[in-house]
Every structure is written in structure tokens, then in C-alpha cells.
Amino acid sequence: MKPSMCSHLKQITRLCQLLLLTLCLAAPVHAFEPFVVQDIRVEGLQRISAGTVFNYLPVKIGQSLDTKGSIEAVRALFKTGFFNDVYLERDGDVLVVFVEERAAISSIEIEGNKDLGTEELLEGLKQIGLAEGRVFDRSLLEKVEQELRRQYFSRGKYAVKINTTVTPLDRNRVGILIDISEGRVARIKQINIIGNHTYSDKELLKEFSLTTPTIFSAFTKSDQYSKQALSADLETLRTYYLDRGYLKFHINSTQVSITPDKQDIYVTINISEGEQYTVSEVTLSGELVVPAEELFPLIRINPGDVFSRKKVTEAVDEISSLLGNQGYAFANVNTSPELDDENFEVALGFFVDPGDRVYVRRINLSGNIGTRDEVLRREMRQLEGGWYSAEQVERSRTRLDRLGYFENVNVETPPVPGTTDQLDVDYSVTERSSGSITAGLGYSQTSGVLFNASVSQENFLGTGKRVSFAFDNSKINTLYRFSYLNPYWTIDGVSRGFGAFYRKTDAAEANLSDYTTDTRGADINFGIPLNEYDTVRFSVGYQGMDLKETVNSPQEVIDFVDQYGDSFDDLVLTGSWSHDSRNKILFTDTGGLQSFSFETTTPGSGLQYYKLNYVQQRFVPLTRDLTLGLKGNLGYGDGFGDFDNLPFFENYYAGGVRSVRGFEDNTLGPRDSEGNPIGGSFLVVFNAEVSFPVPFVESSSGIRLSTFFDVGNVFGDYNTFDTGGLRYSVGLAGLWLSPMGPISVSLGYPLNAKKDDDIQNFQFTVGTFF
């Protein structure tokens, strides 16, 4: 007899046995006479132990077993999922359990997958019970095939083919092979909008994230169809019309068709625009705990204006925010538009339900394992026992984020159970390492090889105090520095710090005139907060300097030494005012910084000069990922007393990665008699930069790319300032906060370089810690 015929006969025999078992179970009187079980024997086991069967079997030795009990026993063993077949027999007073084990999975192999990682797939299979060592269940394998198809369909691969092969192995095991042929991604060939009369297809499709193939779609994948992306685009289309007054706009239907080869997709959207509605009146009603004259200015849609859902939503948010800042944490603001379909007008009503005024019962902190509670609590602007303020809660979160001690800061405001007028504010933080002992090498095109070592603790012993000692060595500088800062010297936030340093500088290595300086100093500094955003700082310090000529020093250096000497001891005063509303210190995406600072020596010092600086920065979020940064920097210095000019070694410099990129560091502006840059007393620099995370990389929190436009120069004096002397450049830049320090890279192209300018298109710095 042929093997296949034998196989069929065996299957028929087994079906008959199962049918007979069912009939027996359905006929309890004839199938099983009650008896007392004196022993239990299990037949048919291969991998599973008899003990496992006994654990699941609801029949024990000494118990009486009847038909009902036998049905329950069979059901219990089937329920384990270990067996293909289970039936019971009686051998005298012995209960015999016959089982046929399901095969175990010996191996799972996945081939042909590119979009979905093998490890990711195996982990997903494991979670649903399909893994090596588990009992094989073909129904699970079928579910896996369906889920894989769904995953590939969501990626636009509609031609995907999935073949699964189950190979029987010895000892009742199987090997599973999942062979995936992903196929090519189906592209959107055409998007048609039918029924639009007011706005053209071009205007509407410009709002879509889905597109037909373009030169950029290979990177953005915007031409790959997905149901989720189409749903988002349909909502965008609906919003587009509602923001322009089309209250009766409706999407009638959407058809998505694919060609037989499953390579091209056609999308057709049928719409009804309806008529455009204008606002006839705006009213406020409900419980107005805030005077209406304070609320109406928040509603920026007026009678006669075209209706806009966006403006209505903004008004609701503004009113809710105002109420939230006055303690009404659970306020509801609802809109009730009444349509006049004859005149195509809408009467817009805002109904205010403030709810109970809420106060904060408790502020809870969690996650600060190494940082003391008081360090976090002194940043709180929301007070326990005070009325809840959404603005102060968020400001407190921002201040915690700005400390730099935490990777993440989250806040929740759960209501207190059993009350309607209390809530808690829960801040959870994830600490980052705020201390470091580092030693490393770096390189910059100006400074050359850098050796640096530092011991620093931004959050010393969890107190919030900052302590550091650093040593840097390069062909330009050798620097030793110690600093200490207590940001809360007083409970009101007055800071106090002090520091000391020694620095040896070879100016010629920095592309400047040929001379060297040895400088040492120490200072004490204070910071006084004027309000939430404004701070005044000042310091008093001693600075001593030895100026040394070289054989190549220009005449300007020689004349200065002849006139003023080469050793100076100075008492230096510095002061600054700053207004800082940035949401983060690094990778800022909103807010700004404005500062004015001065530095001056006192009368009687070896050097007599002053320097003034003004810096203005603004950060404007353009989209969720794009941020526009604008920065202006003005600097001016001069001498007083016996000094007619600012000492040349205190000059400002321009050019390089910190001012005008594309030009070599410090090379712009006036030059000495030897033709080397010597800097000037008046600095003008402006930078415009659009920054964004690395495209197509999901986790790039420590990296930012940008496009920039720089303009600036340094002049001998403000009287010599000439807009024609400004230098311009454009280019691309990147910053990576790497483990060995920040790495900055720029590719700049000067737009109006002169013949004597030193061009350096590619510039980078690696491993500069301080």
C-alpha cells in the first residue's frame, strides 16, 4: 500500500476513535462504571514527565471515578495544550491515561527579512508563545503570518510573500522556517481630490504628508502609502477647510486601489466643500469667575471674521490656561456654535465651567537618588498649600530641567481621592551622572592636539554646589583652573563662588601676532536674582600677567613693552545683567537670552582698560523638529588713564567656529606690521541658524545638525566700522555631545572673501571640555 494511502487510513481511524470517544463521553452510563482508583498509569509520554500529567490530572488515587469525572479529567489535560489526543481506559482498578504529545519547537529560522529585524521578530514570537522549547501550536503560526503581513502592509509592501515550513524532527520535535519575500514598496502613483472648487489640488496636496514620488521621497518615504498616514492627511484636509470657515465640509468617500502587480497605488478622495461661514457674534456665558473684560481679549476671532476652528481652539486654550493659573485646575471651556444656514453665519458662544478652585496639598519628588530634596524644592515656584497654577507648575519643571542634573523631568497633577478641591504635584526625575573624572585627548585645527584632565562635580554630594579642577594642554594654552560655586549661598538664591587659575598662552599658535603671556589670577563672584528671569552678577579678582616678546614679535608688541613694561598686576572688576528665558541650556528650542556685561581694571592697576559686551539670542520653534536660532554679539573696549587704547592682548577676534565660520580662527580684522591678525577693539557678529535632529535616526538626543548664515568682523575702533568690511558665510554644522567631550563640525562657504582673508571651509573641534 502506498505511504500516502496509509497516512489517510490512519487519519480516518483516528477520527473514528475520536468520534467513538465523544459518543462514549456522551453516554456516561455505558462508557464508565464508577470505580475507586487504586493506581494511575500514563502511556504515550515522550518528553513530558508523568509528574506533570499528575499535577494537571484532577483524579487522585483513592478517589471514585465516574463518567462525569472522566470527562473533566480529559478536559483538564486537553486544556494544558500539551497534547493532541487524550483518552482514558480502565484496567481493573487502575486508571490508564493515554496521551499523544504535541511536538516541541526545536528551532525557528527567519529568512529574507530586511525591514524587520530578526531579534525583534523572535522576541515578538516568544511573547505570543512561539519559541524554541515551547509546544508547537499551528494556530499560533497562522496568526504570526497574518501579523507579519499586516506589518509589511503598513510599510507599503503589499507584494510580500510569507511561506512557513514545519519540518518534523526526531523525538517529537519540529523545526520552523519562516521565509519572507518582502517585495518592493508600493509607491503612490496619483492622489486625486474630487469636489474641490475653492482650492486647487496643488494647494490642498501641499498640506499632505503623502506625496507622489519626488527627488526627496527616497529619503522622506512620503510616497509610501500607509493607512495611518492617509488618515492623518484626511484630518489635515478637514482642518484646512474648517480653519477657513467651511463648517459643512465633508469627506464623502476615500478609495485606495492598487495595480495587479501591487507596485502602484492610486488614492481618490471625494469631498463636499459646502459654503463659507462668517462669525455673526461672540458671547461668553457660564460662571465667569474672571471678569469678561479679561477673557474677551483672549478670543481672537471677532464678528465679521471668517470662522476658524484653529482660532476657536486657541481661545479655549487661552481661557483654560488663565483659569488654570488662578487655581481652577479642572476648568472646562466649551464652544456652542449656532449655525444660520440661510445667511451662512455662525453665532459663537463660549461656555465657562471653572469647577472648584483647587489648591496643592503636597509636592512629591521621586527619582532623585543622589540629589537632596532641598536642591529640587528650592527650584519650586508652585507652593504647597497655595492655589494651583499651571504656569508655576510648568516653570518649576523647567527650572529642574535647567539644572543639568537630570536626563528627564516629568510632572503629573493627580487629584486627591475623595476631594474636589485638592491635588498633588508629582515630579519624577531621572538622574544623570553630574560628576566626572576624565582624562583624554582631543584635536582642533587651531589648538592642535589637546590633552585634558578634570575632576568635576556639578552636584557635589547632592548639594547642588559645583566643584571642579581642570588641566588643559595644547600648542596654544596650558591651563590649570580650580572653581567652586554655591548657587544658593542664601535661601533667596544669591550665589557665591571663587576660583583660581594659571594660563600660559602662545598667541602665534592661535594665528595671532607673535608673543606669549603667563597669566595667573583668583576671584570671588556673586549672583543676585532680580526676578524669575533676570540676574545680576559681579566679581572682584586679582590678575597678574607677564608679557614676553619673541624674535618674531611685530613692532606693535615691542612698542607696547617699551611704553608700558612687560609685567602687570591688576584688580579686575566684572559685572553683568542677563535675562534668560531659555527652556534648556543645551539644544534650546524656545526662549532667549539677553545679557550686558562689563570688565574693567581699577585705577592704579598695571593695566587700565574696560570692555563692554552685549549678547542677544532668540530661539523660535518653526516646527516640532526645526528651531530657528538668532544671535547678535557686540563688543567694545578701550583704555583709560595712561592707556590710550585697549591693550592688544585684550582685543576681540573674529573668524572660526565661534563667530564667522568658513574663515580661519581669529584671522579676520586688523593685522600687525608683520601681516598677522592682531584683533581690534570693536566686534560685530550675527548668526542665524536652523537646527534639527539627525534625519531618519530615531534616537539622536545628543546630536544636532544645522544650516547657518554668519556675518561679522572685528574693527580697530568703532569709528572705523564699515558695513563693507563685514564678512558673510553660509554652510552646514553639527554638534555631538560625545563621551569624550563635545565635537563640533562646520562646513562653511564665505560669500564675500577678500584676497588677504584666510579661508578654512571645513572646521572642527574634538574633545574640548572647558
Side-chain angles (χ1 to χ4, degrees):
M1 186 179 291
K2 294 182 179 180
S4 59
M5 183 65 71
C6 291
S7 176
H8 287 311
L9 287 174
K10 286 181 180 179
Q11 291 180 6
I12 293 171
T13 302
R14 174 54 60 201
L15 288 172
C16 291
Q17 290 174 342
L18 289 174
L19 180 59
L20 287 172
L21 175 62
T22 303
L23 293 173
C24 290
L25 292 177
V29 177
H30 303 288
F32 233 114
E33 292 295 330
F35 74 102
V36 176
V37 178
Q38 299 298 326
D39 195 7
I40 301 174
R41 189 170 73 248
V42 183
E43 301 286 349
L45 293 177
Q46 297 184 38
R47 292 174 297 98
I48 299 173
S49 67
T52 301
V53 177
F54 293 150
N55 284 336
Y56 287 101
L57 189 67
V59 180
K60 308 300 179 185
I61 294 175
Q63 290 183 353
S64 176
L65 180 66
D66 56 13
T67 301
K68 181 179 180 182
S70 67
I71 294 174
E72 292 177 353
V74 171
R75 184 179 294 125
L77 292 179
F78 264 121
K79 200 172 181 180
T80 65
F82 297 155
F83 308 110
N84 280 326
D85 191 12
V86 177
Y87 61 96
L88 307 180
E89 288 186 1
R90 176 181 174 179
D91 184 7
D93 291 334
V94 177
L95 175 65
V96 183
V97 182
F98 291 91
V99 297
E100 180 184 323
E101 290 184 5
R102 283 184 174 177
I105 299 173
S106 174
S107 64
I108 300 178
E109 296 182 13
I110 303 175
E111 296 180 355
N113 54 306
K114 297 177 182 178
D115 278 15
L116 301 177
T118 300
E119 293 299 324
E120 177 186 352
L121 287 174
L122 289 175
E123 182 62 29
L125 295 178
K126 184 177 181 180
Q127 291 178 3
I128 65 172
L130 206 64
E132 292 183 7
R134 300 277 184 90
V135 173
F136 173 63
D137 185 343
R138 183 169 292 278
S139 64
L140 289 180
L141 189 58
E142 292 172 355
K143 290 180 180 178
V144 167
E145 293 180 18
Q146 295 174 3
E147 178 60 20
L148 284 174
R149 286 192 178 87
R150 191 190 66 80
Q151 290 280 352
Y152 278 104
F153 286 175
S154 69
R155 286 167 167 76
K157 293 192 172 182
Y158 294 93
V160 63
K161 295 180 180 178
I162 300 172
N163 295 313
T164 57
T165 304
V166 180
T167 304
L169 303 174
D170 58 350
R171 290 183 292 133
N172 198 27
R173 298 175 304 149
V174 296
I176 299 175
L177 172 64
I178 302 175
D179 187 13
I180 302 172
S181 175
E182 293 184 342
R184 190 172 69 86
V185 175
R187 307 289 178 182
I188 298 176
K189 190 73 172 179
Q190 192 174 45
I191 303 177
N192 296 316
I193 301 178
I194 299 173
N196 53 311
H197 306 294
T198 308
Y199 303 105
S200 66
D201 283 10
K202 184 178 181 181
E203 289 177 285
L204 298 177
L205 292 177
K206 188 170 62 176
E207 305 294 322
F208 279 36
S209 61
L210 292 176
T211 68
T212 53
T214 66
I215 58 174
F216 299 108
S217 58
F219 304 100
T220 63
K221 299 182 179 178
S222 60
D223 60 346
Q224 296 183 12
Y225 170 79
S226 77
K227 187 176 181 180
Q228 295 85 349
L230 180 59
S231 297
D233 282 344
L234 293 178
E235 184 57 34
T236 299
L237 181 63
R238 186 178 290 107
T239 299
Y240 185 89
Y241 273 93
L242 289 176
D243 287 345
R244 288 158 179 78
Y246 292 88
L247 288 172
K248 293 297 184 72
F249 172 81
H250 182 67
I251 297 176
N252 300 320
S253 64
T254 304
Q255 293 91 34
V256 179
S257 58
I258 187 168
T259 55
D261 60 2
K262 298 183 179 181
Q263 301 298 313
D264 296 322
I265 290 177
Y266 292 82
V267 179
T268 303
I269 305 169
N270 294 280
I271 66 173
S272 297
E273 290 183 330
E275 298 293 336
Q276 189 179 56
Y277 284 71
T278 58
V279 178
S280 59
E281 64 174 340
V282 178
T283 59
L284 277 168
S285 60
E287 187 180 351
L288 302 183
V289 292
V290 176
E293 52 267 22
E294 293 184 30
L295 297 179
F296 270 117
L298 304 178
I299 303 173
R300 297 179 179 85
I301 185 168
N302 302 305
D305 293 347
V306 172
F307 175 85
S308 169
R309 186 173 71 171
K310 179 181 179 181
K311 290 183 178 180
V312 171
T313 302
E314 289 174 349
V316 169
D317 291 342
E318 291 277 356
I319 295 172
S320 299
S321 178
L322 177 63
L323 294 173
N325 292 335
Q326 298 194 17
Y328 298 95
F330 307 119
N332 286 316
V333 181
N334 299 309
T335 57
S336 54
E338 296 182 5
L339 302 184
D340 179 356
D341 293 333
E342 292 184 5
N343 299 310
F344 306 117
E345 292 181 338
V346 55
L348 195 57
F350 292 86
F351 182 82
V352 179
D353 177 16
D356 291 332
R357 198 174 189 189
V358 177
Y359 67 90
V360 175
R361 181 187 69 164
R362 187 176 295 120
I363 295 177
N364 301 309
L365 306 172
S366 63
N368 53 315
I369 301 172
T371 305
R372 299 179 184 178
D373 267 19
E374 64 181 278
V375 175
L376 281 71
R377 291 194 179 276
R378 67 195 185 190
E379 302 298 330
M380 295 296 104
R381 292 303 176 257
Q382 172 68 60
L383 301 179
E384 287 183 343
W387 295 120
Y388 168 83
S389 170
E391 181 181 6
Q392 297 302 338
V393 168
E394 178 59 24
R395 181 59 188 168
S396 301
R397 191 201 66 78
T398 299
R399 289 182 67 89
L400 291 178
D401 206 10
R402 282 167 52 91
L403 288 175
Y405 308 156
F406 311 113
E407 291 183 2
N408 297 300
V409 180
N410 297 309
V411 60
E412 295 180 353
T413 54
V416 176
T419 69
T420 59
D421 62 349
Q422 297 180 51
L423 55 74
D424 291 336
V425 180
D426 299 337
Y427 290 96
S428 60
V429 300
T430 304
E431 287 189 326
R432 62 159 53 103
S433 176
S434 58
S436 62
I437 300 176
T438 61
L441 292 174
Y443 182 82
S444 76
Q445 288 167 302
T446 300
S447 301
V449 176
L450 307 168
F451 173 73
N452 45 65
S454 69
V455 179
S456 65
Q457 178 57 264
E458 290 292 308
N459 185 16
F460 185 67
L461 299 179
T463 62
K465 299 181 176 67
R466 303 169 192 170
V467 180
S468 72
F469 172 78
F471 164 70
D472 288 345
N473 185 40
S474 69
K475 66 180 183 180
I476 295 178
N477 285 315
T478 298
L479 170 67
Y480 302 89
R481 179 172 60 192
F482 170 78
S483 65
Y484 165 86
L485 176 67
N486 182 356
Y488 276 83
W489 183 49
T490 71
I491 195 172
D492 297 323
V494 174
S495 65
R496 184 188 68 172
F498 49 81
F501 74 94
Y502 170 78
R503 181 175 63 245
K504 184 176 182 178
T505 302
D506 186 345
E509 296 292 348
N511 305 319
L512 302 175
S513 297
D514 208 332
Y515 64 90
T516 64
T517 60
D518 288 345
T519 310
R520 61 268 173 200
D523 74 307
I524 184 170
N525 57 80
F526 298 89
I528 304 173
L530 302 179
N531 54 46
E532 187 63 28
Y533 301 99
D534 295 273
T535 304
V536 172
R537 295 181 175 85
F538 62 91
S539 69
V540 180
Y542 161 78
Q543 181 173 291
M545 188 186 75
D546 296 322
L547 173 64
K548 298 178 182 179
E549 306 173 46
T550 70
V551 294
N552 298 317
S553 292
Q555 193 62 43
E556 290 84 351
V557 175
I558 298 171
D559 291 344
F560 184 90
V561 172
D562 290 343
Q563 183 175 358
Y564 301 110
D566 59 6
S567 183
F568 309 95
D569 293 293
D570 306 312
L571 183 63
V572 181
L573 304 178
T574 66
S576 68
W577 161 83
S578 65
H579 177 85
D580 191 350
S581 61
R582 294 174 296 175
N583 66 325
K584 292 181 287 189
I585 302 301
L586 292 173
F587 300 148
T588 309
D589 49 35
T590 186
L593 170 66
Q594 184 178 192
S595 70
F596 173 78
S597 62
F598 72 88
E599 175 185 333
T600 182
T601 57
T602 59
S605 296
L607 296 171
Q608 296 178 338
Y609 69 90
Y610 65 89
K611 297 172 75 173
L612 306 174
N613 272 90
Y614 177 75
V615 175
Q616 172 79 275
Q617 285 182 282
R618 296 298 302 172
F619 297 91
V620 181
L622 302 177
T623 67
R624 186 171 62 90
D625 292 328
L626 296 178
T627 301
L628 171 64
L630 303 173
K631 180 180 179 182
N633 187 2
L634 295 177
Y636 176 72
D638 202 356
F640 65 87
D642 296 333
F643 287 75
D644 297 328
N645 299 296
L646 183 70
F648 65 87
F649 44 80
E650 292 291 343
N651 275 346
Y652 295 98
Y653 305 98
V657 293
R658 294 177 180 84
S659 56
V660 186
R661 286 159 284 195
F663 296 92
E664 194 169 351
D665 284 0
N666 307 323
T667 59
L668 293 178
R671 295 177 178 258
D672 61 23
S673 55
E674 299 294 327
N676 295 314
I678 197 171
S681 63
F682 186 54
L683 171 72
V684 178
V685 173
F686 173 77
N687 312 102
E689 201 155 1
V690 176
S691 59
F692 48 91
V694 181
F696 322 119
V697 177
E698 292 184 3
S699 179
S700 59
S701 59
I703 308 175
R704 284 295 183 275
L705 303 179
S706 64
T707 60
F708 65 82
F709 169 72
D710 295 341
V711 55
N713 208 334
V714 64
F715 301 87
D717 189 81
Y718 70 88
N719 292 318
T720 63
F721 171 74
D722 179 12
T723 55
L726 295 173
R727 299 293 189 270
Y728 303 85
S729 68
V730 296
L732 302 172
L735 176 62
W736 175 33
L737 302 180
S738 75
M740 62 177 171
I743 298 177
S744 60
V745 179
S746 68
L747 187 61
Y749 294 92
L751 300 179
N752 64 336
K754 308 301 180 183
K755 65 177 182 178
D756 294 331
D757 290 338
D758 296 321
I759 307 301
Q760 192 175 61
N761 300 114
F762 181 69
Q763 297 172 312
F764 67 94
T765 302
V766 181
T768 304
F769 283 88
F770 295 95

